[in-house]
Amino acid sequence: MHSKFFLSLMPIVLGIALMTIGVFAFLSIERFENQLQEKEKALSAALAQVLGEPLWNYQYETLVQLVSVAMTDPDIVQVLILDEGGNEVLVKGNVADNERVDRRSQRIFYHNAHIEQSAGLLQISFGRQRLRDELLGRVFQELILIVFMSAGFLVCVLLISRYVIHKPLSELLLAMKQSQAKGVLQPVQWRSDDEIGYIIHQYNLMQESLSVKERQLELSRSRYRTLYHSTPALMLSVNMQGKILEVSDYFCKELGFAPDQLLGTSLWRYLDDHGSKSVHQVLEQALLKEEVIRELQACFHLPRGRIDILITAVPQYDELSEYQGHLLVLSDITQLNQAYQLIEHQANVDHLTGLANRNRFQQDIDRYFIEQPHPRLSLLFIDLDGFKLVNDTWGHLVGDQLLVVVAKRMLNVVPPDVLVARLGGDEFAILIDDSTLDLTLDELALKLEQLGESILQQMAMPFKISGHALCISASIGIACAPMHATSSVELLQYADIAMYQAKRQGKNAFAFYHETHGSEPPSEQG
């Protein structure tokens, strides 16, 4: 019965398929012909319009450029331009003898504010090869589609006819409805050795398998929820747009959020950049490309303030392996950063005066010579006169307090963007970036003299330390790069030599480095 039904149905389906192919082919030809005619008309009119002025003025290179642009169209095989007298001005492209083309002619007019004059004739040859190729491709695609549709239709009809038996089908449908309504397995009570019996048996096995998988899936979900909310880690889930979909209980508890405050909001409102590259851009790119992110630094806004965090993000997928978003695990590194900043501060700041220490000073002066071949710098090397006597007379505690006041007085006369450092003991240094001053050499020397005088005046004023009136002075050596030195070592050495020259002059003075200065310091110091 099924074979007879299939054999009787096949000629009908094939006849309908052939009729459909013919109709589709006819409609495709009509549509392609209309499209080509419209395109030819539009291209001819547009090209003739832009060729008017260059043809009238005989701008040959412009004509060549315009025609070359037009020839990029795959349907144009030749462009011919004639002047008003019918003489050939430009021809581009070739037409084969056996090639079928459509030739379209279009008058070229020159327009300006006063006249409209015929300038010549444009003739474009349009090839039909692409039309034939596209038409054959379309017909072939439609033929394949109709063949598959016809085959699918025949198969479906055959399957339906094979299994349309009222009682077992009714039993199967009833069991399916009950399973859907009750949400539990409803096996079909039907047994037979034919195809229908096999299908029902497989349906029962599928129901049992689905029930087992559902239980396993629910158990897996339960475990996931437990891990997600109980693991002591700051976790949240976002979709591709950065919208927060889920947040762990531990996250809310530790950071002081209520779940309702976060769910449905944008992740970007809680993040700040922590570095030169935008955190938003990095995360957005990862969400778009389903990429993994490890140890991305950022700042996170909290109700009580902000914290420094490291972000690790991994893609999340559902049971069908479809991308759902990213799981973000945040690590609070605020205390770690604070400890690092403290260590960095201790490594670069003099603990007594609060000025930069020798390490920081050396890093800065080296950096200038590394980043620039010939940096413009001025260095004032300062040594206190009489400081050793203060230490010997009043003790190191008074001496330390004196150094603190000396540092403050220096800062009072030095511009805020200039580096002031304590190199050790009673030695200080002032490093000035001259490239920011835009001064001539004479103006720079005058400015350094004024700064030296200001420092000497500050040091010459009595110091009141722990009830003692202390009097000291300073000797200042000044060296400049690249005038005197070409390296950080030379600059520091020459400023030191100039400082000793100031001491030779009787102390409480400043001196510029000169190559005639001796390199050996005097025996008397402090």
Side-chain angles (χ1 to χ4, degrees):
M1 180 182 67
H2 298 296
S3 300
K4 292 180 180 179
F5 180 80
F6 182 79
L7 292 175
S8 62
L9 185 62
M10 183 178 294
I12 299 174
V13 174
L14 291 177
I16 296 174
L18 292 175
M19 291 176 60
T20 305
I21 293 173
V23 172
F24 279 175
F26 176 78
L27 293 177
S28 297
I29 293 173
E30 287 292 318
R31 181 170 67 255
F32 274 87
E33 286 286 349
N34 292 336
Q35 289 178 353
L36 185 59
Q37 292 295 326
E38 292 175 1
K39 177 180 177 180
E40 292 174 359
K41 182 178 179 181
L43 284 175
S44 301
L47 187 57
Q49 183 176 4
V50 300
L51 290 175
E53 182 176 353
L55 180 60
W56 181 263
N57 296 317
Y58 202 74
Q59 299 173 354
Y60 186 78
E61 293 183 359
T62 304
L63 291 174
V64 172
Q65 292 176 356
L66 293 173
V67 170
S68 298
V69 172
M71 289 293 293
T72 58
D73 190 305
D75 291 332
I76 298 178
V77 297
Q78 187 183 63
V79 176
L80 173 64
I81 301 176
L82 304 175
D83 61 16
E84 186 59 25
N87 299 311
E88 180 180 304
V89 176
L90 175 65
V91 61
K92 195 170 184 65
N94 296 304
V95 180
D97 295 336
N98 59 345
E99 184 177 4
R100 180 186 173 189
V101 297
D102 290 338
R103 287 188 173 88
R104 179 174 292 272
S105 299
Q106 183 76 32
R107 298 298 304 176
I108 302 175
F109 292 92
Y110 171 71
H111 303 269
N112 61 21
H114 306 289
I115 64 170
E116 177 177 350
Q117 180 66 39
S118 175
L121 180 68
L122 169 67
Q123 186 179 84
I124 303 179
S125 298
F126 293 89
R128 304 185 63 83
Q129 183 62 38
R130 190 177 69 87
L131 173 63
R132 290 195 296 270
D133 293 341
E134 290 186 3
L135 181 60
L136 289 175
R138 179 63 61 86
V139 171
F140 181 76
Q141 291 176 359
E142 292 170 350
L143 175 62
I144 296 299
L145 178 62
I146 292 173
V147 168
F148 275 104
M149 291 177 60
S150 301
F153 176 76
L154 288 173
V155 172
C156 291
V157 171
L158 179 62
L159 291 176
I160 292 173
S161 66
R162 179 176 297 175
Y163 298 118
V164 176
I165 301 175
H166 183 266
K167 186 173 182 179
L169 183 58
S170 299
E171 291 282 346
L172 181 60
L173 292 175
L174 179 60
M176 294 173 61
K177 291 179 180 179
Q178 290 178 346
S179 299
Q180 185 178 8
K182 298 179 180 180
V184 295
L185 172 64
Q186 294 293 324
V188 179
Q189 302 299 325
W190 178 270
R191 298 290 184 273
S192 65
D193 296 332
D194 56 12
E195 293 86 350
I196 296 178
Y198 175 78
I199 291 176
I200 292 177
H201 175 68
Q202 293 299 319
Y203 170 78
N204 290 336
L205 292 179
M206 182 185 65
Q207 286 285 70
E208 293 176 0
S209 177
L210 288 176
S211 297
V212 172
K213 290 182 178 180
E214 183 64 27
R215 289 193 297 269
Q216 293 175 345
L217 181 60
E218 183 58 34
L219 180 60
S220 177
R221 289 172 177 170
S222 177
R223 291 173 178 171
Y224 170 78
R225 287 192 296 268
T226 301
L227 290 173
Y228 192 94
H229 293 285
S230 300
T231 300
L234 307 176
M235 295 189 293
L236 54 86
S237 300
V238 298
N239 63 7
M240 185 182 296
Q241 290 74 37
K243 181 180 179 181
I244 298 177
L245 305 177
E246 189 174 5
V247 61
S248 69
D249 294 342
Y250 183 84
F251 183 101
C252 295
K253 178 182 177 181
E254 288 297 312
L255 301 187
F257 284 102
D260 294 341
Q261 291 179 272
L262 296 172
L263 297 180
T265 62
S266 175
L267 174 67
W268 317 127
R269 63 184 289 187
Y270 304 102
L271 293 179
D272 279 344
D273 290 348
H274 194 284
S276 60
K277 195 171 184 180
S278 171
V279 173
H280 185 123
Q281 292 178 351
V282 174
L283 281 173
E284 197 174 49
Q285 190 76 2
L287 295 177
L288 182 64
K289 296 185 177 181
E290 303 178 22
E291 295 176 338
V292 176
I293 293 180
R294 292 181 175 86
E295 297 185 353
L296 175 65
Q297 293 196 40
C299 292
F300 198 88
H301 289 279
L302 300 178
R304 64 175 186 269
R306 298 193 314 174
I307 61 172
D308 296 331
I309 59 172
L310 277 180
I311 301 175
T312 299
V314 294
Q316 286 185 302
Y317 302 92
D318 61 11
E319 295 85 356
L320 301 178
S321 298
E322 294 184 359
Y323 174 68
Q324 299 298 305
H326 267 62
L327 171 65
L328 275 63
V329 181
L330 313 183
S331 302
D332 186 352
I333 59 170
T334 305
Q335 294 182 351
L336 182 63
N337 282 349
Q338 292 173 350
Y340 174 78
Q341 293 169 3
L342 178 60
I343 294 173
E344 186 176 18
H345 177 81
Q346 293 173 345
N348 294 291
V349 177
D350 180 58
H351 71 282
L352 179 62
T353 62
L355 301 177
N357 61 13
R358 177 179 286 274
N359 180 64
R360 165 70 186 283
F361 171 80
Q362 195 66 52
Q363 287 179 359
D364 279 20
I365 194 171
D366 288 341
R367 175 173 52 82
Y368 280 110
F369 283 92
I370 292 174
E371 294 178 354
Q372 305 174 43
H374 303 290
R376 295 179 55 196
L377 301 173
S378 293
L379 175 60
L380 283 72
F381 193 99
I382 304 165
D383 185 85
L384 301 182
D385 304 322
F387 180 75
K388 184 176 184 300
L389 181 60
V390 172
N391 268 344
D392 294 343
T393 304
W394 304 106
H396 289 282
L397 180 60
V398 173
D400 288 347
Q401 295 176 4
L402 175 60
L403 291 175
V404 173
V405 179
V406 166
K408 291 180 180 178
R409 289 189 182 185
M410 286 186 186
L411 293 175
N412 288 337
V413 297
V414 173
D417 57 342
V418 171
L419 177 66
V420 181
R422 180 188 175 208
L423 302 184
D426 60 344
E427 292 181 343
F428 296 84
I430 298 175
L431 184 63
I432 304 173
D433 183 0
D434 297 335
S435 63
T436 62
L437 301 180
D438 193 21
L439 301 175
T440 64
L441 291 179
D442 292 339
E443 292 171 339
L444 177 60
L446 179 60
K447 185 175 183 66
L448 294 174
E449 289 177 1
Q450 293 172 347
L451 179 57
E453 288 287 356
S454 299
I455 296 174
L456 292 178
Q457 291 173 6
Q458 289 287 325
M459 298 301 107
M461 293 187 295
F463 292 83
K464 292 184 179 180
I465 307 296
S466 300
H468 307 292
L470 307 178
C471 293
I472 62 171
S473 62
S475 297
I476 304 173
I478 305 174
C480 300
M483 183 190 311
H484 301 137
T486 58
S487 68
S488 60
V489 174
E490 288 183 351
L491 185 60
L492 187 58
Q493 178 185 359
Y494 293 160
D496 187 34
I497 293 174
M499 182 272 296
Y500 282 115
Q501 180 63 27
K503 285 187 177 291
R504 292 190 186 96
Q505 296 173 3
K507 304 181 181 181
N508 191 29
F510 63 85
F512 285 86
Y513 172 77
H514 192 274
E515 60 183 6
T516 59
H517 290 164
S519 60
E520 292 296 329
S523 58
E524 181 185 359
Q525 299 185 27

